[in-house]
Amino acid sequence: MTKFKIGYGYINQNCRKEFRLFASTFLGFTSTKQSTQKKKKALIYAHYDKSIKIRDFRCLWITRINSLTIKNISYNLFMHNMYKKRLLLNRKICAQLILSNKSNKDYFYILLNDIKNKH
């Protein structure tokens, strides 16, 4: 009976090397099991933080739009009228219109008056 050397193939070695390279900056990783656990946790938090970032930007855009529409019409009426008129401007584009010309806000006011008057 011959004894065979138990080892890992090149595919498994490459997989382990990839995990170790990803987790090399993590503190306290000593084994492949710990590095895989830390990689999974890092990717879960990256996805979670991305959704929080998207939510925060949406709140920022809504605040910027609301700051200019509040004098004429309410924000929800503005968005509703844009939807009814089938304008393809989302919140991000409207907020960029507001910021693009800080001294002269003509573009956004033209859009606002057009939506307000043709209700």
Side-chain angles (χ1 to χ4, degrees):
M1 192 177 224
T2 60
K3 296 205 173 193
F4 293 103
K5 181 181 175 189
I6 299 174
Y8 297 108
Y10 71 95
I11 294 174
N12 203 353
Q13 286 175 359
N14 288 340
C15 183
R16 286 169 180 261
K17 187 165 75 172
E18 179 187 328
F19 278 134
R20 285 204 174 105
L21 287 175
F22 182 82
S24 63
T25 57
F26 297 159
L27 294 175
F29 99 95
T30 55
S31 68
T32 305
K33 183 177 180 182
Q34 286 178 341
S35 64
T36 56
Q37 288 173 348
K38 290 190 179 214
K39 180 179 179 179
K40 287 178 186 176
K41 193 167 191 174
L43 293 175
I44 288 170
Y45 276 111
H47 178 72
Y48 175 72
D49 291 338
K50 184 179 177 184
S51 63
I52 289 177
K53 181 181 171 185
I54 291 170
R55 186 187 323 151
D56 289 343
F57 269 108
R58 183 182 166 100
C59 289
L60 177 68
W61 299 329
I62 290 172
T63 306
R64 285 179 179 166
I65 296 169
N66 194 24
S67 66
L68 286 180
T69 60
I70 199 73
K71 298 170 188 169
N72 298 319
I73 58 174
S74 64
Y75 167 76
N76 62 348
L77 192 61
F78 172 74
M79 293 307 288
H80 177 70
N81 290 343
M82 276 185 57
Y83 176 75
K84 277 175 51 178
K85 289 187 70 169
R86 297 174 191 245
L87 290 176
L88 299 175
L89 295 174
N90 56 10
R91 290 168 180 85
K92 181 180 178 181
I93 301 298
C94 287
Q96 286 177 350
L97 274 175
I98 293 168
L99 291 179
S100 65
N101 44 358
K102 291 181 181 177
S103 61
N104 188 9
K105 295 182 173 62
D106 287 338
Y107 298 130
F108 188 74
Y109 280 122
I110 289 170
L111 176 69
L112 184 64
N113 289 330
D114 186 37
I115 289 174
K116 185 176 85 168
N117 293 333
K118 295 183 182 178
H119 181 324

